[in-house]
Amino acid sequence: MDDFLRLSELVAARLCHDIGGLVATLTGLLELAGDSGEPAAPVPGAAEAALELTRRLNLLREAWSGESTGLNLPGLQALSRGLPGAHRLQLDLSGLPADTVFPPRMARMVLNVLLLGAESLPRGGTIGLVSAGGQDLLVTIAGPRGGWPAGLAACLVDEQGAWTALSGPRVLMPGLVALLARQLAVRVSILMPSGRGRRAMPPLLLSPDGLA
């Protein structure tokens, strides 16, 4: 019970962290407009901040609320615009059939892995989704200074290690992805990269177990 309470606290803290900056930006812009003494006019940046806030909320609601009803590729692409640092990221869906529809539990898993991927590309880059046969899915990341978090592998193979990794809101995603994978019956594995280049980053393999 303490673990579940801790997870809830961290999720709430992460929500506040992600949304707080956007709200502060929007509030500051509106305050500047009010102090200008000029007639009401569009505030540069306010609309963009409000749009980014809306997109972030939409993404987190689908990823964390447990109310997903399934997700097609246009829907996934739209939600990906709410990723942190989305302006520096590209979601490559060319490796999936155009008629792909992820069932609810797999949709949640994919969205959380996208959040993990965004964190793993601090200077931007590309997150790719590739069909690996059947319902299996490969997730790749590529970008400068990109790389999966160092503790991700341990979280994926050790449930207690995943709980232990939940040490603060800024390091939420590795443990959360591992724990959600167990809850949603999706095996998540780190594969060795096929290339020999030093910058080759291993893909993640998502293997759903009888999802519907």
Side-chain angles (χ1 to χ4, degrees):
M1 183 61 69
D2 288 343
D3 284 338
F4 286 103
L5 177 60
R6 177 59 175 157
L7 179 57
S8 298
E9 291 172 342
L10 287 170
V11 170
R14 175 58 183 268
L15 279 167
C16 292
H17 170 74
D18 277 357
I19 296 172
L22 299 174
V23 173
T25 299
L26 184 58
T27 300
L29 290 169
L30 294 175
E31 287 177 350
L32 286 174
D35 293 339
S36 66
E38 298 292 332
V43 182
E48 291 80 2
L51 179 59
E52 188 176 352
L53 174 58
T54 299
R55 287 171 171 171
R56 186 73 53 81
L57 284 169
N58 288 341
L59 170 62
L60 296 180
R61 181 169 57 246
E62 289 291 322
W64 291 351
S65 71
E67 297 177 357
S68 175
T69 57
L71 197 57
N72 59 19
L73 296 192
L76 180 61
Q77 190 71 257
L79 286 173
S80 75
R81 298 189 183 103
L83 289 169
H87 62 286
R88 300 189 303 269
L89 297 170
Q90 179 180 355
L91 180 60
D92 182 4
L93 302 178
S94 61
L96 297 175
D99 60 352
T100 296
V101 177
F102 294 110
R105 286 186 287 160
M106 187 63 168
R108 283 192 67 198
M109 197 71 249
V110 169
L111 291 174
N112 277 277
V113 169
L114 289 186
L115 285 163
L116 177 67
E119 285 192 355
S120 303
L121 295 168
R123 297 184 61 183
T126 300
I127 305 173
L129 302 184
V130 181
S131 175
Q135 295 186 352
D136 289 0
L137 183 70
L138 282 177
V139 182
T140 64
I141 56 172
R145 297 188 181 178
W148 301 114
L152 178 60
C155 290
L156 293 175
V157 299
D158 178 16
E159 182 175 4
Q160 186 55 49
W163 284 115
T164 302
L166 300 174
S167 57
R170 290 182 178 272
V171 290
L172 173 66
M173 291 314 301
L176 179 58
V177 164
L179 292 168
L180 276 176
R182 291 176 180 271
Q183 177 186 337
L184 300 175
V186 179
R187 294 188 303 277
V188 180
S189 311
I190 301 179
L191 303 183
M192 293 299 296
S194 57
R196 295 185 177 182
R198 292 183 179 180
R199 297 187 178 182
M201 285 174 265
L204 294 185
L205 175 65
L206 277 59
S207 301
D209 183 12
L211 293 186

